[in-house]
């Protein structure tokens, strides 16, 4: 059955990123389980679900057991979440339970508490007739049942009772072995939350969404001043524009000649080289040239502050501050462990879309891997970066990734480990030793669209910026880092 033929009504969870993972939102009249260790944001996510209902003029019921209504209202108010118009049903013990130490001599405690709990919940639901219910946590139900069979019957009957009223239920639970499998089986959707160390950050994963489906995989999640924020991983996107190989010029004629005119839109270029060789300066030449021509450009800095980047570029005569003030160039500094890979990708996607960016520079790959929070290995993190570059290039945006190699001279590997597959173009910069002096060379190893010069050129970084010279001809061993001149048949050096 196609999505257009389904009769489901979907509701917002109150979190736009979560709605995206749910392929449109929660299904009305169904039971969803939010499961995760303490402190992962289960209750907070649930209160945003209730607030979204109140904003839609729904009646909402909050069944809570571990925190008082006063504490819940105070905690959510601190984050700007207003659930003051919700109906609260406290099914937890009050302070008198500790003081009086009640005992049951004739009947089992479970029988008395079970009856009280169920009658209280039924009465509240019949009185409020809620559109949305949050049960935080649902553990109280399982504690009252002697067997998994009884617990399963209780949850099924409760879910059907609410479904008949078209009530949507969110229930929270801390993972345990006791009856978890029953709850997972009976729930129409499972939202799993986790939290590692500072480097891993918070993660969210949808394990199930009956009848609708979900975006699989692990996704970014943050708890910020406004509550829970969810950042879905970018999915492969179709090309939104026809491929247009119009070139970006560096504004340096010799460098443009090396690249047969420049770098094409809709391609990814890896600019690789050792530390200090001039990669960022070269990328900035493209940024400044594009922005000056009226092509919106973005730069994300992982290895340098905005202040030093701007000062250095202004020293070279690149008017970065003016271009930023005019709005054709956006430069952002990304702090260490500030963002998940999904949040960073969504930020770039949003800013590129809003500004109509035609060139994006990420400086650099190593800084990205060190600064971005992630719960996966480097392979998964590179996949996230690949998905971002694919999204940009399918919108015909050019991307430059700056990659730092470890070797100072020589070209043992064109890029750092396992990143060359990201590139349509590979431009390298390197040091060479000529008569005991370190000099710089720039060359191209790969270019999918158009040609390029196969002989590197020497270059310098001067007070006027990048100065690129003639091809390094008449030498061999340039790629080894210690070139030697070779002569013709008369013993003279060749100038081919």
């Amino acid at each position: 059955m196609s999505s257009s033929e389904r009769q489901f009504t979907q509701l917002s969870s109150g979190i736009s990123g979560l709605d995206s993972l749910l392929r449109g939102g929660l299904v009305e009249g169904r039971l969803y389980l939010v499961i995760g260790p303490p402190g992962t944001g289960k209750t907070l996510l649930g209160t945003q679900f209730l607030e979204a209902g109140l904003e839609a003029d729904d009646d909402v019921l909050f069944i809570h057991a571990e925190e008082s209504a006063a504490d819940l209202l105070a905690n959510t108010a601190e984050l700007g979440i207003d659930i003051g118009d919700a109906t609260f049903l406290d099914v937890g013990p009050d302070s008198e339970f500790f003081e009086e130490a009640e005992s049951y001599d004739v009947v089992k405690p479970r029988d008395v508490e079970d009856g009280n709990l169920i009658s209280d919940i039924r009465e509240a639901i019949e009185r409020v007739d809620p559109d949305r219910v949050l049960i935080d946590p649902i553990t109280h139900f399982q504690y009252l049942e002697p067997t998994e069979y009884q617990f399963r019957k209780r949850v099924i009957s409760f879910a059907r009772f609410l479904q008949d009223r078209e009530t949507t239920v969110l229930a929270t639970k801390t993972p345990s072995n006791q009856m978890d499998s029953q709850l997972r089986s009976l729930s129409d959707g499972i939202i799993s939350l986790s939290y590692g160390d500072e480097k891993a950050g918070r993660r969210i994963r949808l394990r199930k969404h009956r009848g609708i489906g979900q975006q699989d995989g692990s996704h970014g999640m943050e708890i910020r001043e406004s509550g829970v924020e969810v950042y879905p991983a970018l999915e492969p996107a179709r090309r939104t524009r026809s491929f247009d190989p119009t070139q970006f010029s560096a504004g340096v004629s010799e460098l443009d000649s090396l690249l047969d005119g420049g770098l094409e839109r809709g391609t990814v270029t890896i600019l690789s080289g050792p530390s200090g060789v001039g990669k960022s300066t070269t990328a900035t030449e493209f940024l400044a040239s594009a922005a000056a021509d009226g092509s919106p450009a973005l730069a994300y800095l992982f290895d340098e502050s905005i202040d030093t980047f701007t000062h250095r570029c202004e020293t070279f005569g690149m008017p970065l501050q003016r271009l930023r003030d005019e709005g054709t160039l956006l430069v952002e500094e990304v702090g260490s462990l500030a963002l998940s890979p999904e949040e960073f990708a969504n930020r770039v996607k949003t800013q590129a879309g809003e500004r109509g960016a035609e060139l994006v520079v990420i400086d650099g790959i190593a800084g990205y891997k060190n600064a971005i929070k992630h719960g996966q290995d480097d392979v998964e993190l590179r996949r996230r970066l690949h998905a971002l570059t694919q999204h940009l290039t399918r919108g015909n945006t050019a991307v430059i990734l700056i990659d730092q190699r470890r070797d100072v001279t020589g070209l043992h590997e064109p890029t750092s480990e396992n990143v060359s597959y990201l590139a349509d173009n590979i431009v390298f910069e390197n040091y060479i030793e000529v008569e005991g002096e370190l000099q710089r060379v720039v060359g191209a190893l790969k270019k999918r669209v158009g040609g390029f010069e196969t002989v590197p050129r020497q270059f310098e970084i001067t007070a006027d910026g990048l100065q690129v010279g003639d091809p390094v001809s008449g030498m061999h061993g340039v790629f080894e880092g210690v070139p030697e001149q070779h002569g013709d048949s008369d013993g003279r050096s060749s100038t081919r």
Side-chain angles (χ1 to χ4, degrees), residues 190-208:
I190 301 173
I191 302 168
S192 178
L193 310 182
S194 63
Y195 182 69
D197 56 17
E198 184 182 14
K199 179 68 175 175
R202 298 180 187 274
R203 309 296 299 172
I204 184 169
R205 183 186 293 266
L206 266 65
R207 304 285 184 178
K208 174 183 179 182

Side-chain angles (χ1 to χ4, degrees), residues 48-122:
Q48 288 177 251
F49 158 74
L50 293 183
E51 182 185 45
L54 291 171
E55 291 174 350
D57 293 326
D58 289 343
D59 293 313
V60 305
L61 173 63
F62 193 163
I63 302 174
H64 55 101
E66 296 180 350
E67 295 179 82
S68 68
D71 287 342
L72 289 167
L73 285 168
N75 294 338
T76 53
E78 285 293 319
L79 295 169
I81 299 171
D82 183 6
I83 55 171
D85 289 334
T87 300
F88 290 82
L89 175 62
D90 190 345
V91 296
D94 55 29
S95 59
E96 294 178 357
F97 177 83
F98 179 76
E99 297 172 0
E100 296 177 3
E102 294 183 5
S103 62
Y104 303 99
D105 298 325
V106 180
V107 298
K108 295 179 181 179
R110 178 185 296 117
D111 295 337
V112 175
E113 295 180 6
D114 184 5
N116 291 338
L117 175 65
I118 298 305
S119 62
D120 287 347
I121 292 174
R122 183 186 298 110

Side-chain angles (χ1 to χ4, degrees), residues 8-11 22 25-32 167-169 188 209-212:
F8 302 138
T9 298
Q10 289 187 264
L11 312 172
L22 291 163
L26 305 163
V27 176
E28 184 180 60
R30 291 193 170 178
L31 170 65
Y32 290 84
T167 301
T168 309
V169 183
D188 295 296
H209 195 200
R210 186 172 287 149
I212 296 289

Side-chain angles (χ1 to χ4, degrees), residues 116-258:
N116 291 338
L117 175 65
I118 298 305
S119 62
D120 287 347
I121 292 174
R122 183 186 298 110
E123 187 276 331
I125 291 173
E126 291 175 343
R127 173 172 48 86
V128 176
D129 192 20
D131 301 287
R132 300 183 184 216
V133 172
L134 171 62
I135 306 174
D136 182 39
I138 200 171
T139 311
H140 260 53
F141 281 91
Q142 71 183 60
Y143 287 161
L144 294 173
E145 305 302 336
T147 66
E148 287 199 22
Y149 173 73
Q150 287 294 108
F151 175 65
R152 184 179 182 86
K153 284 183 63 177
R154 178 73 70 189
V155 173
I156 290 175
S157 64
F158 181 61
R160 288 179 176 174
F161 172 66
L162 292 169
Q163 189 174 26
D164 290 342
R165 295 173 170 270
E166 297 183 343
T167 301
T168 309
V169 183
L170 212 64
T172 70
K173 188 180 188 305
T174 299
S176 67
N177 293 328
Q178 186 181 16
M179 301 183 186
D180 270 9
S181 60
Q182 295 290 347
L183 270 177
R184 291 174 183 270
S185 173
L186 296 171
S187 299
D188 295 296
I190 301 173
I191 302 168
S192 178
L193 310 182
S194 63
Y195 182 69
D197 56 17
E198 184 182 14
K199 179 68 175 175
R202 298 180 187 274
R203 309 296 299 172
I204 184 169
R205 183 186 293 266
L206 266 65
R207 304 285 184 178
K208 174 183 179 182
H209 195 200
R210 186 172 287 149
I212 296 289
Q214 69 279 344
Q215 184 177 338
D216 293 325
S218 176
H219 307 274
M221 175 178 151
E222 298 290 344
I223 295 179
R224 299 266 167 75
E225 292 181 356
S226 58
V228 172
E229 299 175 2
V230 173
Y231 298 95
L234 289 186
E235 294 187 292
R238 295 181 179 180
R239 183 171 289 278
T240 57
R241 302 183 194 173
S242 58
F243 180 63
D244 174 16
T246 305
Q247 292 179 315
F248 282 107
S249 166
V252 180
S253 59
E254 295 83 1
L255 181 57
D256 290 336
S257 295
L258 175 71

